[in-house]
Short mmCIF file of all heavy atoms in Angstrom, two decimals:
data_model
loop_
_atom_site.label_atom_id
_atom_site.label_comp_id
_atom_site.label_asym_id
_atom_site.label_seq_id
_atom_site.Cartn_x
_atom_site.Cartn_y
_atom_site.Cartn_z
N LEU D 31 -1.52 -8.51 -5.69
CA LEU D 31 -2.43 -8.80 -6.81
C LEU D 31 -1.67 -8.67 -8.16
O LEU D 31 -0.63 -8.04 -8.18
CB LEU D 31 -3.68 -7.80 -6.70
CG LEU D 31 -4.61 -7.76 -5.58
CD1 LEU D 31 -5.38 -6.61 -5.42
CD2 LEU D 31 -5.41 -9.14 -5.51
N SER D 32 -2.48 -9.06 -9.27
CA SER D 32 -1.80 -8.88 -10.67
C SER D 32 -1.82 -7.43 -11.07
O SER D 32 -2.58 -6.66 -10.58
CB SER D 32 -2.56 -9.75 -11.56
OG SER D 32 -3.86 -9.12 -11.88
N LYS D 33 -0.92 -7.14 -11.95
CA LYS D 33 -0.84 -5.77 -12.41
C LYS D 33 -2.02 -5.25 -13.17
O LYS D 33 -2.44 -4.17 -12.92
CB LYS D 33 0.50 -5.57 -13.28
CG LYS D 33 1.75 -5.50 -12.55
CD LYS D 33 2.97 -5.06 -13.42
CE LYS D 33 3.32 -6.08 -14.59
NZ LYS D 33 4.52 -5.49 -15.31
N PRO D 34 -2.74 -6.08 -13.96
CA PRO D 34 -3.97 -5.65 -14.60
C PRO D 34 -5.09 -5.33 -13.62
O PRO D 34 -5.82 -4.40 -13.69
CB PRO D 34 -4.31 -6.78 -15.52
CG PRO D 34 -3.01 -7.52 -15.83
CD PRO D 34 -2.23 -7.41 -14.54
N THR D 35 -5.12 -6.22 -12.54
CA THR D 35 -6.13 -5.92 -11.59
C THR D 35 -5.82 -4.55 -10.78
O THR D 35 -6.74 -3.82 -10.56
CB THR D 35 -6.11 -6.93 -10.31
OG1 THR D 35 -6.52 -8.32 -11.27
CG2 THR D 35 -7.18 -6.82 -9.32
N VAL D 36 -4.60 -4.39 -10.44
CA VAL D 36 -4.22 -3.20 -9.66
C VAL D 36 -4.45 -1.99 -10.63
O VAL D 36 -4.83 -0.88 -10.08
CB VAL D 36 -2.76 -3.20 -9.28
CG1 VAL D 36 -2.28 -1.90 -8.63
CG2 VAL D 36 -2.59 -4.29 -8.13
N LEU D 37 -4.19 -2.08 -11.86
CA LEU D 37 -4.38 -0.97 -12.81
C LEU D 37 -5.78 -0.54 -12.88
O LEU D 37 -6.02 0.68 -12.91
CB LEU D 37 -4.00 -1.35 -14.33
CG LEU D 37 -4.07 -0.28 -15.29
CD1 LEU D 37 -3.19 0.87 -14.94
CD2 LEU D 37 -3.65 -0.89 -16.70
N ARG D 38 -6.69 -1.56 -12.74
CA ARG D 38 -8.25 -1.06 -12.74
C ARG D 38 -8.46 -0.24 -11.57
O ARG D 38 -9.17 0.77 -11.53
CB ARG D 38 -9.06 -2.34 -12.80
CG ARG D 38 -9.00 -3.14 -14.16
CD ARG D 38 -10.17 -4.05 -14.25
NE ARG D 38 -10.23 -5.12 -13.19
CZ ARG D 38 -9.58 -6.22 -13.41
NH1 ARG D 38 -8.85 -6.52 -14.52
NH2 ARG D 38 -9.61 -7.19 -12.34
N PHE D 39 -7.86 -0.66 -10.32
CA PHE D 39 -8.08 0.12 -9.13
C PHE D 39 -7.59 1.46 -9.19
O PHE D 39 -8.19 2.40 -8.76
CB PHE D 39 -7.72 -0.82 -7.84
CG PHE D 39 -8.57 -1.97 -7.58
CD1 PHE D 39 -7.78 -3.19 -7.46
CD2 PHE D 39 -9.83 -1.92 -7.49
CE1 PHE D 39 -8.46 -4.39 -7.18
CE2 PHE D 39 -10.60 -2.99 -7.27
CZ PHE D 39 -9.99 -4.28 -7.07
N THR D 40 -6.31 1.51 -9.55
CA THR D 40 -5.60 2.78 -9.79
C THR D 40 -6.36 3.92 -10.69
O THR D 40 -6.45 4.97 -10.34
CB THR D 40 -4.15 2.64 -10.23
OG1 THR D 40 -4.15 1.98 -11.46
CG2 THR D 40 -3.31 1.94 -9.16
N LYS D 41 -6.90 3.35 -11.66
CA LYS D 41 -7.60 4.11 -12.70
C LYS D 41 -8.91 4.74 -12.02
O LYS D 41 -9.27 5.81 -12.06
CB LYS D 41 -7.97 3.43 -13.86
CG LYS D 41 -6.83 3.30 -14.88
CD LYS D 41 -7.24 2.53 -16.13
CE LYS D 41 -6.19 2.43 -17.16
NZ LYS D 41 -6.45 1.79 -18.32
N SER D 42 -9.60 3.82 -11.25
CA SER D 42 -10.87 4.22 -10.50
C SER D 42 -10.46 5.22 -9.51
O SER D 42 -11.14 6.30 -9.29
CB SER D 42 -11.64 3.01 -9.90
OG SER D 42 -11.98 2.21 -11.03
N LEU D 43 -9.37 4.97 -8.70
CA LEU D 43 -9.00 5.81 -7.59
C LEU D 43 -8.54 7.24 -8.20
O LEU D 43 -8.76 8.25 -7.52
CB LEU D 43 -7.84 5.28 -6.82
CG LEU D 43 -8.27 4.00 -6.03
CD1 LEU D 43 -7.02 3.26 -5.41
CD2 LEU D 43 -9.09 4.43 -4.80
N ALA D 44 -7.85 7.20 -9.33
CA ALA D 44 -7.56 8.40 -10.01
C ALA D 44 -8.72 9.28 -10.32
O ALA D 44 -8.67 10.51 -10.28
CB ALA D 44 -6.60 8.23 -11.16
N ARG D 45 -9.66 8.63 -10.94
CA ARG D 45 -10.93 9.38 -11.29
C ARG D 45 -11.57 10.02 -9.99
O ARG D 45 -12.17 11.21 -10.31
CB ARG D 45 -12.01 8.42 -12.03
CG ARG D 45 -11.60 8.09 -13.39
CD ARG D 45 -12.74 7.39 -14.12
NE ARG D 45 -13.11 6.04 -13.61
CZ ARG D 45 -12.51 4.97 -14.05
NH1 ARG D 45 -11.53 5.02 -15.01
NH2 ARG D 45 -12.86 3.86 -13.48
N GLY D 46 -11.38 9.56 -8.90
CA GLY D 46 -12.01 10.04 -7.82
C GLY D 46 -11.12 11.06 -7.06
O GLY D 46 -11.49 11.74 -6.06
N GLY D 47 -9.91 11.28 -7.56
CA GLY D 47 -8.93 12.19 -6.97
C GLY D 47 -8.06 11.59 -5.86
O GLY D 47 -7.33 12.37 -5.18
N TYR D 48 -8.21 10.33 -5.64
CA TYR D 48 -7.45 9.67 -4.60
C TYR D 48 -6.01 9.22 -4.96
O TYR D 48 -5.05 9.04 -4.22
CB TYR D 48 -8.11 8.39 -4.14
CG TYR D 48 -9.39 8.80 -3.54
CD1 TYR D 48 -10.62 8.63 -4.26
CD2 TYR D 48 -9.64 9.36 -2.25
CE1 TYR D 48 -11.86 9.05 -3.67
CE2 TYR D 48 -10.76 9.70 -1.60
CZ TYR D 48 -11.96 9.51 -2.36
OH TYR D 48 -13.15 9.87 -1.84
N LEU D 49 -5.63 9.24 -6.25
CA LEU D 49 -4.33 8.89 -6.91
C LEU D 49 -4.13 9.79 -8.12
O LEU D 49 -5.12 10.28 -8.64
CB LEU D 49 -4.31 7.46 -7.28
CG LEU D 49 -4.09 6.21 -6.24
CD1 LEU D 49 -3.95 4.95 -6.98
CD2 LEU D 49 -2.84 6.55 -5.43
N VAL D 50 -2.92 10.01 -8.38
CA VAL D 50 -2.57 10.80 -9.58
C VAL D 50 -1.48 10.04 -10.33
O VAL D 50 -0.60 9.56 -9.79
CB VAL D 50 -1.97 12.19 -9.23
CG1 VAL D 50 -1.46 12.97 -10.39
CG2 VAL D 50 -3.07 12.97 -8.47
N ARG D 51 -1.67 9.92 -11.62
CA ARG D 51 -0.72 9.27 -12.53
C ARG D 51 0.37 10.19 -13.07
O ARG D 51 -0.06 11.23 -13.60
CB ARG D 51 -1.38 8.65 -13.69
CG ARG D 51 -0.45 7.73 -14.56
CD ARG D 51 -1.28 7.15 -15.62
NE ARG D 51 -0.53 6.07 -16.42
CZ ARG D 51 0.19 6.35 -17.45
NH1 ARG D 51 0.46 7.66 -17.90
NH2 ARG D 51 0.90 5.45 -18.18
N ASN D 52 1.58 10.02 -12.76
CA ASN D 52 2.69 10.92 -13.14
C ASN D 52 3.05 10.64 -14.55
O ASN D 52 2.59 9.66 -15.20
CB ASN D 52 3.87 10.62 -12.26
CG ASN D 52 3.68 11.01 -10.77
OD1 ASN D 52 3.14 11.93 -10.47
ND2 ASN D 52 4.19 10.04 -9.96
N ASN D 53 3.76 11.53 -15.20
CA ASN D 53 4.19 11.48 -16.51
C ASN D 53 5.06 10.16 -16.78
O ASN D 53 5.01 9.75 -18.02
CB ASN D 53 4.92 12.70 -17.05
CG ASN D 53 4.15 13.87 -17.10
OD1 ASN D 53 2.91 13.85 -17.27
ND2 ASN D 53 4.63 15.09 -16.82
N ASP D 54 5.65 9.67 -15.81
CA ASP D 54 6.52 8.54 -16.06
C ASP D 54 5.83 7.31 -15.82
O ASP D 54 6.44 6.17 -15.61
CB ASP D 54 7.82 8.59 -15.17
CG ASP D 54 7.45 8.72 -13.73
OD1 ASP D 54 6.33 8.65 -13.35
OD2 ASP D 54 8.46 8.59 -12.91
N ALA D 55 4.39 7.23 -15.64
CA ALA D 55 3.57 6.17 -15.49
C ALA D 55 3.65 5.67 -14.10
O ALA D 55 2.88 4.66 -13.71
CB ALA D 55 3.80 5.09 -16.45
N THR D 56 4.32 6.32 -13.11
CA THR D 56 4.23 5.99 -11.69
C THR D 56 2.96 6.63 -11.06
O THR D 56 2.29 7.51 -11.69
CB THR D 56 5.40 6.39 -10.94
OG1 THR D 56 5.57 7.87 -11.06
CG2 THR D 56 6.64 5.67 -11.38
N TRP D 57 2.61 6.28 -9.93
CA TRP D 57 1.38 6.73 -9.20
C TRP D 57 1.78 7.42 -7.81
O TRP D 57 2.70 6.89 -7.14
CB TRP D 57 0.47 5.64 -8.99
CG TRP D 57 -0.10 5.07 -10.27
CD1 TRP D 57 0.54 3.99 -10.84
CD2 TRP D 57 -1.29 5.44 -10.97
NE1 TRP D 57 -0.24 3.65 -12.01
CE2 TRP D 57 -1.32 4.48 -12.06
CE3 TRP D 57 -2.25 6.33 -10.73
CZ2 TRP D 57 -2.45 4.58 -12.90
CZ3 TRP D 57 -3.36 6.42 -11.72
CH2 TRP D 57 -3.38 5.45 -12.84
N ARG D 58 1.04 8.48 -7.58
CA ARG D 58 1.25 9.14 -6.28
C ARG D 58 -0.16 9.43 -5.69
O ARG D 58 -1.14 9.44 -6.36
CB ARG D 58 2.02 10.46 -6.41
CG ARG D 58 1.48 11.49 -7.30
CD ARG D 58 2.29 12.71 -7.53
NE ARG D 58 1.83 13.55 -8.43
CZ ARG D 58 0.92 14.53 -8.37
NH1 ARG D 58 0.40 14.69 -7.16
NH2 ARG D 58 0.60 15.29 -9.36
N LEU D 59 -0.10 9.77 -4.38
CA LEU D 59 -1.44 9.91 -3.71
C LEU D 59 -1.95 11.23 -4.21
O LEU D 59 -1.23 12.21 -4.55
CB LEU D 59 -1.19 10.07 -2.10
CG LEU D 59 -0.73 8.70 -1.49
CD1 LEU D 59 -0.51 8.86 -0.04
CD2 LEU D 59 -1.68 7.66 -1.81
N GLY D 60 -3.34 11.24 -4.30
CA GLY D 60 -4.09 12.47 -4.84
C GLY D 60 -4.55 13.48 -3.82
O GLY D 60 -4.49 13.18 -2.54
N PRO D 61 -5.05 14.57 -4.33
CA PRO D 61 -5.46 15.67 -3.42
C PRO D 61 -6.64 15.34 -2.65
O PRO D 61 -6.89 16.07 -1.56
CB PRO D 61 -5.81 16.83 -4.44
CG PRO D 61 -6.05 16.13 -5.75
CD PRO D 61 -5.17 14.88 -5.68
N LYS D 62 -7.53 14.45 -3.00
CA LYS D 62 -8.71 14.15 -2.18
C LYS D 62 -8.33 13.51 -0.82
O LYS D 62 -8.98 13.86 0.19
CB LYS D 62 -9.52 13.04 -2.91
CG LYS D 62 -10.92 12.74 -2.35
CD LYS D 62 -11.86 13.94 -2.33
CE LYS D 62 -12.43 14.34 -3.52
NZ LYS D 62 -13.32 13.31 -4.18
N LEU D 63 -7.10 12.82 -0.70
CA LEU D 63 -6.74 12.35 0.51
C LEU D 63 -6.29 13.46 1.44
O LEU D 63 -6.41 13.30 2.69
CB LEU D 63 -5.68 11.44 0.38
CG LEU D 63 -5.97 10.10 -0.41
CD1 LEU D 63 -4.74 9.39 -0.80
CD2 LEU D 63 -6.90 9.17 0.38
N ALA D 64 -5.76 14.51 0.97
CA ALA D 64 -5.32 15.67 1.85
C ALA D 64 -6.66 16.32 2.36
O ALA D 64 -6.59 16.66 3.59
CB ALA D 64 -4.60 16.74 0.94
N ARG D 65 -7.73 16.40 1.59
CA ARG D 65 -9.02 16.95 2.19
C ARG D 65 -9.45 16.17 3.21
O ARG D 65 -9.90 16.57 4.30
CB ARG D 65 -9.95 17.13 1.02
CG ARG D 65 -11.25 17.63 1.41
CD ARG D 65 -12.28 17.76 0.27
NE ARG D 65 -13.64 18.12 0.85
CZ ARG D 65 -14.53 17.26 1.13
NH1 ARG D 65 -14.17 15.99 1.17
NH2 ARG D 65 -15.73 17.70 1.45
N LEU D 66 -9.47 14.78 2.95
CA LEU D 66 -9.99 13.90 4.01
C LEU D 66 -9.12 13.96 5.35
O LEU D 66 -9.57 13.95 6.40
CB LEU D 66 -9.97 12.31 3.52
CG LEU D 66 -10.88 12.08 2.42
CD1 LEU D 66 -10.83 10.71 1.77
CD2 LEU D 66 -12.39 12.36 2.90
N GLY D 67 -7.74 14.16 5.04
CA GLY D 67 -6.90 14.26 6.22
C GLY D 67 -7.19 15.53 7.04
O GLY D 67 -7.12 15.38 8.24
N MET D 68 -7.51 16.63 6.41
CA MET D 68 -7.78 17.81 7.14
C MET D 68 -9.22 17.64 7.87
O MET D 68 -9.20 18.09 9.03
CB MET D 68 -7.87 19.02 6.18
CG MET D 68 -6.47 19.40 5.74
SD MET D 68 -6.58 21.02 4.66
CE MET D 68 -7.48 20.39 3.20
#
């Protein structure tokens, strides 16, 4: 997908705790996924 489209999804996922935006603008998996995993 295009970067603008993916950016919209990453922001929504970050608000829900499923992704986290790092200081260098990269993205990592968020804490909500750890809870779901448990």
Side-chain angles (χ1 to χ4, degrees):
L31 297 170
S32 68
K33 287 197 290 185
T35 299
V36 173
L37 181 60
R38 291 198 298 271
F39 291 127
T40 55
K41 287 182 176 179
S42 295
L43 290 166
R45 283 194 292 270
Y48 298 97
L49 285 179
V50 174
R51 188 178 186 272
N52 299 316
N53 292 333
D54 61 358
T56 60
W57 297 87
R58 59 184 170 86
L59 296 176
K62 186 65 71 67
L63 292 172
R65 176 178 176 275
L66 292 177
M68 287 187 291

